Amino acid sequence: MLSNAEITEAITNAIVDLLGDLHDEDDGIDLDATFSEVGLNSLMLARLVIALETDLGVDPFTDSDRSIVDVRTVGDLAGLYAQASGTGQVAAEAAR
């Protein structure tokens, strides 16, 4: 099981890879930024989800009632992947 930090890093790295020269790696990715603020269009977002399914081994949209249109920010996406991988649930249980 991946940690929240590992999931977030995988997502931000995948975004930087997709954006290529459009994004300076030194700038980082703001987790509160919307996909359009980061520079992703709808096609790039679809490619991101495909890449993340390969990298993380989970598709959070398959076994849930969530849709990609419900996800607004990079942080929302990271949270959804954490929840789908069980990391989000483990973190919530540990906080109790």
Coordinates of all heavy atoms in Angstrom, one line a residue:
M1 N 0.8 -1.2 0.0 CA 0.0 0.0 0.0 C 0.9 1.2 0.0 O 1.8 1.3 0.8 CB -0.9 0.0 1.2 CG -1.8 1.1 1.3 SD -3.0 1.2 2.7 CE -3.0 -0.4 3.4
L2 N 0.6 2.2 -0.9 CA 1.3 3.4 -1.0 C 0.9 4.4 0.1 O -0.3 4.4 0.4 CB 1.2 4.0 -2.4 CG 1.7 3.2 -3.5 CD1 1.3 3.9 -4.8 CD2 3.2 3.1 -3.5
S3 N 1.8 5.2 0.5 CA 1.4 6.3 1.5 C 0.8 7.4 0.7 O 0.9 7.6 -0.5 CB 2.7 6.8 2.2 OG 3.5 7.5 1.4
N4 N 0.1 8.3 1.5 CA -0.4 9.6 0.9 C 0.7 10.4 0.1 O 0.4 10.9 -0.9 CB -1.1 10.4 1.9 CG -2.4 9.9 2.4 OD1 -3.0 9.0 1.7 ND2 -2.9 10.3 3.5
A5 N 1.8 10.4 0.8 CA 2.9 11.2 0.2 C 3.4 10.6 -1.2 O 3.7 11.3 -2.1 CB 4.1 11.3 1.1
E6 N 3.5 9.2 -1.2 CA 3.9 8.5 -2.4 C 2.8 8.7 -3.5 O 3.2 8.9 -4.7 CB 4.1 7.1 -2.1 CG 5.3 6.8 -1.3 CD 5.4 5.4 -0.8 OE1 4.3 4.8 -0.4 OE2 6.5 4.8 -0.7
I7 N 1.6 8.7 -3.2 CA 0.5 8.9 -4.1 C 0.6 10.3 -4.7 O 0.5 10.5 -5.9 CB -0.9 8.6 -3.5 CG1 -1.0 7.1 -3.3 CG2 -2.0 9.1 -4.4 CD1 -2.2 6.7 -2.4
T8 N 0.7 11.3 -3.8 CA 0.8 12.7 -4.2 C 2.0 12.9 -5.1 O 1.9 13.6 -6.2 CB 0.9 13.6 -3.0 OG1 -0.3 13.4 -2.2 CG2 1.0 15.1 -3.4
E9 N 3.1 12.3 -4.8 CA 4.3 12.4 -5.6 C 4.1 11.8 -7.0 O 4.5 12.4 -8.0 CB 5.5 11.8 -4.9 CG 6.8 12.0 -5.7 CD 8.0 11.4 -5.0 OE1 7.9 10.9 -3.8 OE2 9.1 11.4 -5.6
A10 N 3.5 10.7 -7.0 CA 3.2 10.0 -8.3 C 2.4 10.9 -9.2 O 2.6 11.0 -10.4 CB 2.6 8.6 -8.1
I11 N 1.3 11.5 -8.6 CA 0.4 12.3 -9.3 C 1.1 13.6 -9.8 O 1.0 13.9 -11.0 CB -0.8 12.7 -8.5 CG1 -1.7 11.4 -8.3 CG2 -1.6 13.8 -9.1 CD1 -2.8 11.6 -7.3
T12 N 1.9 14.2 -9.0 CA 2.6 15.5 -9.4 C 3.6 15.2 -10.5 O 3.8 15.9 -11.4 CB 3.1 16.2 -8.2 OG1 4.0 15.4 -7.5 CG2 2.0 16.8 -7.3
N13 N 4.3 14.0 -10.3 CA 5.3 13.7 -11.3 C 4.7 13.4 -12.6 O 5.2 13.7 -13.7 CB 6.1 12.4 -10.8 CG 7.1 12.8 -9.7 OD1 7.5 13.9 -9.5 ND2 7.6 11.8 -9.0
A14 N 3.5 12.7 -12.6 CA 2.8 12.4 -13.9 C 2.3 13.7 -14.5 O 2.4 13.8 -15.8 CB 1.6 11.4 -13.6
I15 N 1.9 14.6 -13.7 CA 1.5 15.9 -14.3 C 2.6 16.6 -15.0 O 2.5 17.1 -16.1 CB 0.8 16.8 -13.2 CG1 -0.5 16.2 -12.8 CG2 0.6 18.2 -13.8 CD1 -1.2 16.9 -11.6
V16 N 3.8 16.7 -14.3 CA 5.0 17.3 -14.9 C 5.4 16.6 -16.1 O 5.7 17.2 -17.1 CB 6.1 17.3 -13.8 CG1 7.4 17.7 -14.5 CG2 5.8 18.3 -12.7
D17 N 5.3 15.3 -16.1 CA 5.7 14.5 -17.4 C 4.7 14.8 -18.5 O 5.1 15.0 -19.7 CB 5.6 13.0 -17.1 CG 6.7 12.5 -16.2 OD1 7.7 13.2 -16.0 OD2 6.6 11.4 -15.7
L18 N 3.4 14.9 -18.2 CA 2.4 15.3 -19.3 C 2.6 16.7 -19.8 O 2.5 16.9 -21.0 CB 1.0 15.2 -18.7 CG 0.4 13.8 -18.7 CD1 -1.0 13.9 -18.1 CD2 0.2 13.3 -20.2
L19 N 3.0 17.6 -18.9 CA 3.1 19.0 -19.4 C 4.4 19.3 -20.1 O 4.5 20.2 -20.8 CB 2.9 19.9 -18.2 CG 1.5 20.0 -17.5 CD1 1.5 20.9 -16.3 CD2 0.5 20.5 -18.5
G20 N 5.4 18.4 -19.8 CA 6.7 18.6 -20.4 C 7.3 20.0 -20.3 O 7.4 20.5 -19.2
D21 N 7.6 20.6 -21.4 CA 8.2 21.9 -21.4 C 7.3 23.0 -20.9 O 7.7 24.2 -20.7 CB 8.8 22.3 -22.8 CG 9.9 21.4 -23.1 OD1 10.6 20.8 -22.2 OD2 10.2 21.2 -24.3
L22 N 6.0 22.7 -20.8 CA 5.0 23.8 -20.4 C 5.1 24.0 -18.9 O 4.5 25.0 -18.4 CB 3.6 23.3 -20.8 CG 3.3 23.1 -22.2 CD1 1.9 22.5 -22.4 CD2 3.4 24.4 -23.0
H23 N 5.8 23.2 -18.2 CA 5.9 23.3 -16.7 C 7.3 23.3 -16.3 O 8.1 22.4 -16.7 CB 5.1 22.2 -16.1 CG 5.1 22.3 -14.6 ND1 4.3 23.3 -13.9 CD2 5.7 21.7 -13.6 CE1 4.5 23.1 -12.6 NE2 5.4 22.2 -12.4
D24 N 7.7 24.2 -15.5 CA 9.0 24.2 -14.9 C 9.0 23.3 -13.6 O 8.3 23.6 -12.7 CB 9.5 25.6 -14.5 CG 10.9 25.7 -14.0 OD1 11.6 24.7 -13.9 OD2 11.3 26.8 -13.6
E25 N 9.8 22.3 -13.6 CA 9.8 21.3 -12.5 C 10.1 22.0 -11.1 O 9.7 21.5 -10.1 CB 10.8 20.2 -12.7 CG 10.3 19.2 -13.8 CD 11.2 18.0 -14.0 OE1 11.6 17.5 -12.9 OE2 11.5 17.7 -15.1
D26 N 10.9 23.1 -11.2 CA 11.2 23.8 -9.9 C 10.0 24.5 -9.3 O 10.1 24.8 -8.1 CB 12.3 24.8 -10.2 CG 13.6 24.1 -10.6 OD1 13.8 22.9 -10.2 OD2 14.4 24.7 -11.3
D27 N 9.0 24.7 -10.1 CA 7.8 25.4 -9.6 C 7.0 24.5 -8.7 O 6.2 25.0 -7.8 CB 6.9 25.9 -10.7 CG 7.5 27.1 -11.5 OD1 8.5 27.7 -10.9 OD2 7.1 27.3 -12.6
G28 N 7.0 23.2 -8.8 CA 6.2 22.3 -8.1 C 4.7 22.4 -8.5 O 4.4 23.2 -9.4
I29 N 3.9 21.6 -8.0 CA 2.5 21.5 -8.3 C 1.7 21.9 -7.0 O 1.9 21.2 -6.0 CB 2.1 20.1 -8.8 CG1 2.8 19.7 -10.1 CG2 0.6 20.1 -9.1 CD1 2.5 20.5 -11.3
D30 N 0.9 22.9 -7.1 CA 0.1 23.3 -5.9 C -1.1 22.3 -5.8 O -1.9 22.2 -6.8 CB -0.4 24.7 -6.1 CG -1.3 25.2 -5.0 OD1 -1.4 24.5 -4.0 OD2 -1.8 26.4 -5.1
L31 N -1.3 21.7 -4.7 CA -2.4 20.7 -4.6 C -3.7 21.3 -4.6 O -4.7 20.7 -4.8 CB -2.2 19.9 -3.3 CG -0.9 19.0 -3.3 CD1 -0.8 18.2 -2.0 CD2 -0.9 18.1 -4.5
D32 N -3.8 22.6 -4.3 CA -5.1 23.3 -4.3 C -5.4 23.9 -5.7 O -6.5 24.5 -5.9 CB -5.0 24.5 -3.3 CG -5.0 24.0 -1.8 OD1 -5.6 22.9 -1.6 OD2 -4.4 24.7 -1.0
A33 N -4.5 23.7 -6.6 CA -4.7 24.2 -8.0 C -5.7 23.4 -8.7 O -5.7 22.1 -8.6 CB -3.4 24.3 -8.7
T34 N -6.6 24.0 -9.5 CA -7.4 23.3 -10.4 C -6.6 22.7 -11.6 O -5.5 23.2 -11.8 CB -8.6 24.1 -11.0 OG1 -8.0 25.2 -11.8 CG2 -9.4 24.8 -9.9
F35 N -7.2 21.8 -12.3 CA -6.5 21.2 -13.4 C -6.1 22.2 -14.5 O -5.1 22.2 -15.0 CB -7.2 20.0 -14.0 CG -7.4 18.9 -13.0 CD1 -8.7 18.6 -12.6 CD2 -6.4 18.2 -12.5 CE1 -8.9 17.5 -11.6 CE2 -6.5 17.2 -11.5 CZ -7.8 16.9 -11.1
S36 N -7.1 23.1 -14.7 CA -6.8 24.2 -15.7 C -5.7 25.1 -15.2 O -4.9 25.6 -16.0 CB -8.1 24.9 -16.1 OG -8.6 25.6 -15.0
E37 N -5.7 25.4 -13.9 CA -4.6 26.3 -13.4 C -3.3 25.7 -13.5 O -2.3 26.4 -13.7 CB -4.9 26.6 -11.9 CG -6.1 27.5 -11.7 CD -6.4 27.7 -10.2 OE1 -6.1 26.8 -9.4 OE2 -7.2 28.7 -9.9
V38 N -3.2 24.4 -13.4 CA -1.9 23.6 -13.6 C -1.5 23.6 -15.1 O -0.4 23.5 -15.4 CB -2.1 22.2 -13.0 CG1 -0.9 21.4 -13.3 CG2 -2.3 22.2 -11.5
G39 N -2.5 23.6 -16.0 CA -2.2 23.6 -17.4 C -2.8 22.4 -18.1 O -2.4 22.1 -19.2
L40 N -3.6 21.6 -17.4 CA -4.1 20.4 -18.0 C -5.5 20.7 -18.7 O -6.4 21.3 -18.1 CB -4.4 19.3 -17.0 CG -3.1 18.7 -16.3 CD1 -3.5 17.8 -15.2 CD2 -2.2 18.1 -17.3
N41 N -5.6 20.2 -19.9 CA -6.9 20.2 -20.6 C -7.6 18.9 -20.4 O -7.1 18.0 -19.7 CB -6.8 20.6 -22.0 CG -6.0 19.6 -22.8 OD1 -5.9 18.4 -22.5 ND2 -5.3 20.2 -23.8
S42 N -8.8 18.7 -20.9 CA -9.5 17.4 -20.7 C -8.8 16.2 -21.2 O -8.9 15.1 -20.6 CB -11.0 17.6 -21.2 OG -11.0 17.8 -22.6
L43 N -8.2 16.4 -22.4 CA -7.5 15.2 -23.0 C -6.3 14.9 -22.1 O -6.0 13.7 -21.9 CB -7.1 15.6 -24.4 CG -6.3 14.5 -25.1 CD1 -7.1 13.2 -25.2 CD2 -5.9 14.9 -26.5
M44 N -5.6 15.9 -21.6 CA -4.4 15.6 -20.8 C -4.9 14.9 -19.5 O -4.2 14.1 -18.9 CB -3.7 16.9 -20.5 CG -3.0 17.5 -21.7 SD -2.3 19.1 -21.3 CE -0.7 18.9 -21.9
L45 N -6.0 15.4 -19.0 CA -6.5 14.8 -17.7 C -6.9 13.3 -17.9 O -6.6 12.5 -17.1 CB -7.8 15.5 -17.2 CG -8.3 15.1 -15.9 CD1 -7.3 15.2 -14.8 CD2 -9.5 16.0 -15.6
A46 N -7.4 13.0 -19.1 CA -7.7 11.6 -19.4 C -6.4 10.8 -19.5 O -6.3 9.6 -18.9 CB -8.5 11.5 -20.7
R47 N -5.4 11.3 -20.1 CA -4.1 10.7 -20.2 C -3.5 10.5 -18.8 O -2.9 9.5 -18.5 CB -3.2 11.4 -21.1 CG -3.6 11.3 -22.6 CD -2.8 12.1 -23.5 NE -1.4 11.7 -23.4 CZ -0.3 12.5 -23.8 NH1 -0.5 13.6 -24.3 NH2 0.9 12.0 -23.7
L48 N -3.7 11.5 -17.9 CA -3.2 11.4 -16.6 C -3.8 10.2 -15.8 O -3.1 9.5 -15.2 CB -3.4 12.7 -15.8 CG -3.1 12.8 -14.4 CD1 -1.6 12.6 -14.2 CD2 -3.6 14.1 -13.7
V49 N -5.1 10.1 -15.9 CA -5.8 9.0 -15.2 C -5.3 7.7 -15.7 O -5.1 6.7 -14.9 CB -7.3 9.2 -15.4 CG1 -8.1 7.9 -14.8 CG2 -7.8 10.4 -14.6
I50 N -5.1 7.5 -17.0 CA -4.6 6.3 -17.6 C -3.2 6.0 -17.1 O -2.9 4.9 -16.7 CB -4.6 6.3 -19.1 CG1 -6.1 6.3 -19.6 CG2 -3.8 5.2 -19.7 CD1 -6.2 6.7 -21.1
A51 N -2.3 7.0 -17.0 CA -1.0 6.8 -16.6 C -1.0 6.5 -15.1 O -0.2 5.6 -14.6 CB -0.2 8.1 -16.8
L52 N -1.8 7.1 -14.3 CA -1.9 6.8 -12.9 C -2.4 5.4 -12.6 O -2.0 4.8 -11.6 CB -2.8 7.9 -12.1 CG -2.2 9.3 -12.1 CD1 -3.2 10.2 -11.5 CD2 -0.9 9.3 -11.3
E53 N -3.3 4.9 -13.4 CA -3.8 3.6 -13.2 C -2.7 2.6 -13.4 O -2.5 1.6 -12.6 CB -4.9 3.2 -14.2 CG -5.5 1.9 -14.0 CD -6.7 1.5 -14.9 OE1 -7.1 2.4 -15.7 OE2 -7.2 0.4 -14.8
T54 N -1.8 2.8 -14.4 CA -0.6 2.0 -14.6 C 0.4 2.1 -13.5 O 0.8 1.1 -12.9 CB 0.0 2.4 -15.9 OG1 -0.9 2.2 -17.0 CG2 1.3 1.5 -16.2
D55 N 0.7 3.4 -13.1 CA 1.7 3.6 -12.0 C 1.2 3.2 -10.6 O 2.0 2.6 -9.9 CB 2.0 5.1 -12.0 CG 2.8 5.6 -13.2 OD1 3.2 4.8 -14.0 OD2 2.9 6.8 -13.4
L56 N 0.0 3.4 -10.3 CA -0.5 3.1 -8.9 C -1.3 1.8 -8.8 O -1.5 1.4 -7.7 CB -1.4 4.3 -8.5 CG -0.7 5.7 -8.4 CD1 -1.7 6.8 -8.0 CD2 0.5 5.7 -7.5
G57 N -1.6 1.3 -9.9 CA -2.3 0.0 -9.9 C -3.8 0.1 -9.4 O -4.3 -0.9 -9.0
V58 N -4.4 1.2 -9.5 CA -5.7 1.4 -9.0 C -6.4 2.4 -9.9 O -5.8 3.4 -10.3 CB -5.8 1.8 -7.5 CG1 -5.2 3.2 -7.3 CG2 -7.2 1.7 -6.9
D59 N -7.7 2.2 -10.1 CA -8.6 3.2 -10.8 C -9.7 3.6 -9.8 O -10.6 2.8 -9.6 CB -9.1 2.6 -12.1 CG -10.0 3.5 -12.8 OD1 -10.2 4.7 -12.4 OD2 -10.5 3.2 -13.9
P60 N -9.6 4.7 -9.3 CA -10.6 5.1 -8.3 C -12.0 5.4 -8.8 O -12.9 5.6 -8.1 CB -10.0 6.4 -7.7 CG -9.2 7.0 -8.8 CD -8.6 5.8 -9.5
F61 N -12.1 5.4 -10.1 CA -13.4 5.7 -10.8 C -14.2 4.4 -11.1 O -15.4 4.4 -11.4 CB -13.2 6.5 -12.0 CG -12.5 7.8 -11.7 CD1 -11.2 8.0 -12.1 CD2 -13.1 8.8 -11.0 CE1 -10.5 9.1 -11.7 CE2 -12.4 10.0 -10.7 CZ -11.1 10.1 -11.1
T62 N -13.5 3.2 -11.1 CA -14.2 2.0 -11.4 C -15.1 1.5 -10.4 O -16.3 1.2 -10.7 CB -13.1 0.9 -11.7 OG1 -12.3 1.3 -12.8 CG2 -13.7 -0.4 -12.1
D63 N -14.7 1.5 -9.1 CA -15.5 0.9 -8.1 C -16.1 1.9 -7.1 O -16.4 1.6 -6.0 CB -14.6 -0.1 -7.2 CG -14.2 -1.3 -8.1 OD1 -14.9 -1.7 -9.0 OD2 -13.1 -1.8 -7.8
S64 N -16.3 3.1 -7.6 CA -16.9 4.1 -6.8 C -18.0 4.9 -7.6 O -18.1 4.7 -8.8 CB -15.9 5.1 -6.3 OG -15.5 6.0 -7.3
D65 N -18.7 5.7 -6.9 CA -19.7 6.5 -7.6 C -19.2 7.9 -8.0 O -19.9 8.7 -8.4 CB -21.0 6.7 -6.6 CG -20.6 7.3 -5.3 OD1 -19.4 7.5 -5.0 OD2 -21.6 7.7 -4.6
R66 N -17.9 8.0 -7.8 CA -17.2 9.3 -8.2 C -16.9 9.3 -9.7 O -16.6 8.3 -10.3 CB -15.9 9.5 -7.4 CG -16.0 9.5 -5.9 CD -16.6 10.8 -5.3 NE -15.9 12.0 -5.7 CZ -15.0 12.6 -5.0 NH1 -14.6 12.1 -3.8 NH2 -14.5 13.7 -5.4
S67 N -17.0 10.5 -10.3 CA -16.6 10.7 -11.7 C -15.5 11.7 -11.7 O -15.3 12.5 -10.8 CB -17.9 11.2 -12.4 OG -17.5 11.6 -13.7
I68 N -14.8 11.7 -12.8 CA -13.7 12.7 -12.9 C -14.2 14.1 -12.9 O -13.5 15.0 -12.4 CB -12.8 12.4 -14.2 CG1 -11.6 13.3 -14.2 CG2 -13.7 12.7 -15.4 CD1 -10.6 12.9 -13.1
V69 N -15.4 14.3 -13.3 CA -16.0 15.7 -13.2 C -16.3 16.2 -11.8 O -16.4 17.3 -11.5 CB -17.3 15.8 -14.0 CG1 -17.0 15.6 -15.5 CG2 -18.4 14.9 -13.6
D70 N -16.3 15.2 -10.8 CA -16.4 15.6 -9.4 C -15.1 16.0 -8.8 O -15.1 16.6 -7.7 CB -16.9 14.3 -8.6 CG -18.2 13.8 -9.0 OD1 -19.1 14.6 -9.4 OD2 -18.4 12.6 -8.9
V71 N -14.0 15.8 -9.5 CA -12.7 16.1 -8.9 C -12.2 17.5 -9.5 O -12.1 17.6 -10.7 CB -11.7 15.0 -9.3 CG1 -10.3 15.3 -8.7 CG2 -12.2 13.7 -8.8
R72 N -12.0 18.4 -8.6 CA -11.7 19.8 -9.1 C -10.2 20.2 -9.0 O -9.7 20.9 -9.8 CB -12.5 20.8 -8.3 CG -14.0 20.6 -8.3 CD -14.5 21.1 -9.6 NE -15.9 21.0 -9.6 CZ -16.6 20.5 -10.7 NH1 -16.0 20.2 -11.7 NH2 -17.9 20.4 -10.6
T73 N -9.5 19.6 -8.0 CA -8.1 20.0 -7.8 C -7.2 18.8 -7.8 O -7.6 17.7 -7.7 CB -7.9 20.8 -6.4 OG1 -8.2 19.8 -5.4 CG2 -8.9 21.9 -6.3
V74 N -5.9 19.1 -7.9 CA -4.9 18.1 -7.8 C -5.0 17.3 -6.5 O -4.9 16.1 -6.4 CB -3.5 18.7 -8.0 CG1 -2.4 17.6 -7.9 CG2 -3.4 19.4 -9.4
G75 N -5.2 18.1 -5.4 CA -5.3 17.5 -4.1 C -6.5 16.6 -4.0 O -6.5 15.5 -3.3
D76 N -7.7 17.0 -4.6 CA -8.8 16.1 -4.7 C -8.5 14.8 -5.3 O -8.9 13.7 -4.9 CB -10.0 16.8 -5.4 CG -10.6 18.0 -4.7 OD1 -10.4 18.2 -3.5 OD2 -11.3 18.8 -5.4
L77 N -7.8 14.9 -6.4 CA -7.4 13.7 -7.1 C -6.5 12.8 -6.3 O -6.7 11.6 -6.2 CB -6.7 14.0 -8.5 CG -6.4 12.8 -9.4 CD1 -7.7 12.2 -9.9 CD2 -5.6 13.3 -10.6
A78 N -5.6 13.4 -5.6 CA -4.7 12.6 -4.7 C -5.5 11.9 -3.6 O -5.3 10.8 -3.3 CB -3.6 13.5 -4.1
G79 N -6.4 12.6 -3.0 CA -7.3 12.1 -2.0 C -8.1 10.9 -2.5 O -8.3 9.9 -1.8
L80 N -8.6 11.0 -3.7 CA -9.4 10.0 -4.3 C -8.6 8.7 -4.5 O -9.0 7.6 -4.2 CB -10.0 10.5 -5.6 CG -11.1 9.6 -6.2 CD1 -12.3 9.4 -5.2 CD2 -11.6 10.2 -7.5
Y81 N -7.3 8.9 -5.0 CA -6.5 7.7 -5.2 C -6.1 7.1 -3.9 O -6.0 5.9 -3.7 CB -5.2 8.1 -6.0 CG -5.5 8.0 -7.5 CD1 -5.9 9.1 -8.2 CD2 -5.3 6.8 -8.2 CE1 -6.2 9.0 -9.6 CE2 -5.5 6.7 -9.5 CZ -5.9 7.8 -10.2 OH -6.2 7.6 -11.6
A82 N -5.8 8.0 -2.9 CA -5.5 7.4 -1.5 C -6.7 6.6 -1.0 O -6.5 5.5 -0.4 CB -5.2 8.6 -0.6
Q83 N -7.9 7.1 -1.1 CA -9.0 6.4 -0.7 C -9.2 5.1 -1.4 O -9.5 4.1 -0.8 CB -10.3 7.3 -0.8 CG -11.5 6.7 -0.3 CD -12.7 7.6 -0.5 OE1 -12.7 8.4 -1.4 NE2 -13.7 7.5 0.4
A84 N -9.0 5.1 -2.7 CA -9.2 3.9 -3.5 C -8.1 2.8 -3.2 O -8.4 1.6 -3.3 CB -9.2 4.2 -5.0
S85 N -6.9 3.3 -2.8 CA -5.9 2.3 -2.5 C -5.9 1.9 -1.0 O -5.2 1.0 -0.6 CB -4.5 2.9 -2.8 OG -4.2 4.0 -1.8
G86 N -6.8 2.5 -0.3 CA -6.9 2.1 1.2 C -6.1 3.0 2.1 O -6.3 3.0 3.3
T87 N -5.3 3.8 1.5 CA -4.4 4.7 2.3 C -5.2 5.7 3.1 O -5.0 6.0 4.2 CB -3.4 5.4 1.4 OG1 -2.6 4.4 0.8 CG2 -2.4 6.2 2.3
G88 N -6.2 6.3 2.4 CA -7.0 7.3 3.0 C -7.8 6.8 4.2 O -8.0 7.4 5.2
Q89 N -8.3 5.5 4.0 CA -9.1 4.9 5.1 C -8.2 4.6 6.3 O -8.5 4.8 7.4 CB -9.7 3.6 4.6 CG -10.6 2.9 5.6 CD -11.3 1.7 5.0 OE1 -11.1 1.4 3.8 NE2 -12.0 1.1 5.8
V90 N -6.9 4.1 6.0 CA -6.0 3.8 7.1 C -5.6 5.1 7.8 O -5.6 5.1 9.1 CB -4.7 3.1 6.5 CG1 -3.7 3.0 7.5 CG2 -5.1 1.8 5.9
A91 N -5.4 6.2 7.1 CA -5.1 7.4 7.8 C -6.2 7.9 8.6 O -6.0 8.4 9.8 CB -4.8 8.5 6.7
A92 N -7.5 7.8 8.2 CA -8.6 8.2 9.0 C -8.8 7.3 10.2 O -9.1 7.8 11.3 CB -9.9 8.1 8.1
E93 N -8.5 6.0 10.1 CA -8.6 5.1 11.3 C -7.5 5.4 12.3 O -7.7 5.3 13.5 CB -8.6 3.7 10.8 CG -9.8 3.2 10.1 CD -9.7 1.9 9.5 OE1 -8.7 1.2 9.7 OE2 -10.7 1.5 8.8
A94 N -6.3 5.8 11.8 CA -5.2 6.1 12.7 C -5.4 7.4 13.4 O -4.9 7.5 14.6 CB -3.9 6.2 11.9
A95 N -6.2 8.3 12.9 CA -6.5 9.5 13.5 C -7.5 9.4 14.7 O -7.6 10.3 15.5 CB -7.0 10.6 12.5
R96 N -8.2 8.3 14.7 CA -9.2 8.1 15.8 C -8.6 7.8 17.1 O -7.7 7.4 17.4 CB -10.1 6.9 15.4 CG -11.0 7.2 14.3 CD -11.9 6.0 14.1 NE -12.6 6.2 12.8 CZ -13.2 5.3 12.2 NH1 -13.3 4.0 12.7 NH2 -13.8 5.5 11.0

